Amino acid sequence: MTQAPAMPKATRRQHDREIVALAVPAFGALVAEPLFVMADSAIVGHLGTAQLAGLGVASALLTTAVSVFVFLAYATTAAVARRVGAGDLPAAIRQGMDGIWLALLLGAVVIAVVLPTAPALVELFGASDTAAPYATTYLRISSFGIPAMLVVLAATGVLRGLQDTRTPLYVAVAGFVANAALNAGLVYGADLGIAGSAWGTVLAQCGMAAAYLTVVVRGARRHGASLRPDAAGIRDSAQAGVPLLVRTLSLRAVLMIATAVAARLGDADIAAHQIVLSLWSLLAFALDAIAIAGQAIIGRYLGANDAPGARAACRRMVEWGIAVGIVLGLLVVISRPLFLPLFTGDHVVKDAALPALLVVALSQPICGIVFVLDGVLMGAGDGPYLAWAMVLTLVVFAPVALLVPTFGGGLTALWAAMTLMMLVRMLTLWLRARSGRWVVTGASR
């Protein structure tokens, strides 16, 4: 980052208040998301092993399909925040509506693809003969909720851009409660089995989308913003999302390679890897909450033509990322003996996971810097650079990870390769942040 004089205490406190106000509710909303799958698993698990296995395959497919389009939230947050900073709320909401219309179009395309190919997709993911029919049923029904899921992503981006992370938290919590109640009622009360779980999730997602749309539409009417689809605006939203799509696919490839390598190491290692990965993902939620705050704050400063404010906010958020990373790392070290028994009683799995968890703990300050700078550059609309940086990271990580089974070191070596991946990301993002080329002011980049 470019050099600057020490930040006054009053400015630090102002940034701290903004970061906490946005990050804490964002963290709550992020944590609520995986609870959907946990609730479904708990309810369907009592139907039988085959049904639970089918749910696992279908949920993995749905999660992949939706996570690929997470750029709907990221790109929309940055674009809306810039216009908020420029003081043009009608244009900010109009920009958000373009993202929502794009979400509906993409959702329709995904349904058209998933419905006829559901059996083939389930087979591709290796579902057993007994689990495949349940997976196909769940996937086909749940696909009708994908447009709503994508609308939720885009609308969440709108509200984050408007500096509102509390409403997404309230909607996420209400959605979780509704999802659990609907699933229990339809699976057992209506005796619909796994189909009831799928319909319950669809209804909950549609309810969440309706809640978001109600908030956005009210804002549009209040500020006189048009709700009609605008072809040029939708096209611009799609173009802004392409680099972030490349970034997301590259990151997904990293995680898939890591899982594939762990599977080659043996049953104990893949089991331990899943435990370590679940904790790593939970820690990522805490750091991603700061990144979300970064997207909203940086976009607003740049939209207001306040380049010094954007740089100062960036520095303060990096300090937050490092501090939170240190705290999380210490918590992992302290809780390792208590954490592992929650997942397994197998001493071989525990022995494989313990040193890998230590690597994860040591890497948390690095992860803090990476997540924060990722959010800062997203807020600045620097998608093309993020795409290039993540592809480069994938190119460095893949051969190192794939050589782990050959050179030994087991799961610990694999997670050392994951730490190398984060180091490469940190270096590329830090160089960009330091260059100052991301500081492009104005209502649009």
Side-chain angles (χ1 to χ4, degrees):
M1 283 163 288
T2 53
Q3 296 297 319
M7 193 185 304
K9 288 185 178 180
T11 303
R12 284 202 303 271
R13 286 196 295 268
Q14 177 188 346
H15 289 313
D16 291 346
R17 285 193 296 268
E18 286 186 329
I19 292 168
V20 170
L22 291 171
V24 172
F27 175 69
L30 289 170
V31 170
E33 292 174 13
L35 294 179
F36 272 76
V37 177
M38 291 178 62
D40 290 358
S41 299
I43 292 168
V44 171
H46 291 287
L47 294 175
T49 301
Q51 288 91 332
L52 184 58
L55 173 66
V57 172
S59 294
L61 284 163
L62 282 168
T63 301
T64 299
V66 174
S67 65
V68 163
F69 298 110
V70 72
F71 69 83
L72 289 166
Y74 294 158
T76 304
T77 297
V80 171
R82 275 184 176 269
R83 284 159 176 78
V84 169
D88 192 348
L89 285 178
I93 296 173
R94 172 69 264 173
Q95 182 76 39
M97 285 305 305
D98 292 336
I100 290 172
W101 282 111
L102 176 61
L104 287 169
L105 291 173
L106 291 173
V109 172
V110 174
I111 288 179
V113 171
V114 170
L115 280 178
T117 62
L121 290 172
V122 167
E123 183 179 356
L124 182 65
F125 263 59
S128 67
D129 291 340
T130 53
Y134 297 112
T136 301
T137 296
Y138 190 94
L139 182 59
R140 277 182 165 159
I141 295 173
S142 294
S143 67
F144 289 106
I146 288 177
M149 296 179 194
L150 299 188
V151 166
V152 166
L153 282 178
T156 298
V158 175
L159 295 179
R160 288 173 180 170
L162 293 170
Q163 317 295 296
D164 175 10
T165 56
R166 290 183 178 273
T167 300
L169 171 61
Y170 300 149
V171 174
V173 171
F176 166 71
V177 173
N179 178 70
L182 286 166
N183 270 260
L186 293 174
V187 170
Y188 299 116
D191 199 24
L192 294 179
I194 196 168
S197 177
W199 281 118
T201 300
V202 169
L203 291 172
Q205 292 289 347
C206 288
M208 291 173 66
Y212 275 118
L213 288 175
T214 298
V215 174
V216 174
V217 169
R218 283 177 179 171
R221 288 176 175 169
R222 185 164 58 248
H223 296 287
S226 173
L227 297 173
R228 294 180 180 178
D230 176 65
I234 294 172
R235 184 173 60 251
D236 289 344
S237 294
Q239 289 175 346
V242 169
L244 295 180
L245 175 61
V246 172
R247 169 201 167 276
T248 300
L249 290 174
S250 299
L251 182 56
R252 295 291 300 182
V254 165
L255 298 177
M256 289 175 65
I257 289 170
T259 300
V261 170
R264 291 173 60 189
L265 296 175
D267 289 348
D269 286 291
I270 184 62
H273 175 72
Q274 289 304 113
I275 295 171
V276 176
L277 185 62
S278 67
L279 178 61
W280 191 77
S281 300
L282 179 61
L283 298 173
F285 284 136
L287 297 172
D288 203 28
I290 305 174
I292 288 169
Q295 293 172 31
I297 293 170
I298 294 297
R300 192 189 74 232
Y301 273 115
L302 294 177
N305 294 310
D306 187 355
R311 291 191 182 95
C314 175
R315 286 196 303 276
R316 190 57 179 161
M317 280 183 283
V318 168
E319 292 169 1
W320 266 82
I322 295 171
V324 173
I326 291 172
V327 172
L328 292 177
L330 290 173
L331 288 174
V332 171
V333 172
I334 295 169
S335 65
R336 280 187 308 158
L338 303 174
F339 175 75
L340 287 174
L342 296 176
F343 291 86
T344 182
D346 190 327
H347 291 291
V348 177
V349 175
K350 289 181 181 179
D351 289 343
L354 274 171
L357 284 173
L358 182 59
V359 174
V360 168
L362 293 173
S363 71
Q364 287 310 295
I366 298 170
C367 294
I369 296 172
V370 169
F371 275 81
V372 167
L373 291 181
D374 206 40
V376 166
L377 297 183
M378 282 184 190
D382 206 8
Y385 183 85
L386 289 171
W388 173 87
M390 197 62 231
V391 169
L392 175 63
T393 301
L394 173 61
V395 170
V396 173
F397 169 78
V400 175
L402 292 172
L403 286 172
V404 166
T406 301
F407 288 97
L411 191 65
T412 304
L414 176 59
W415 277 93
M418 288 286 284
T419 301
L420 172 65
M421 179 268 294
M422 296 303 289
L423 278 169
V424 174
R425 290 187 70 191
M426 184 182 74
L427 178 61
T428 57
L429 296 175
W430 178 77
L431 288 173
R432 185 64 167 183
R434 187 181 183 188
S435 74
R437 280 180 250 175
W438 57 277
V439 184
V440 180
T441 58
S444 60
R445 185 176 173 89

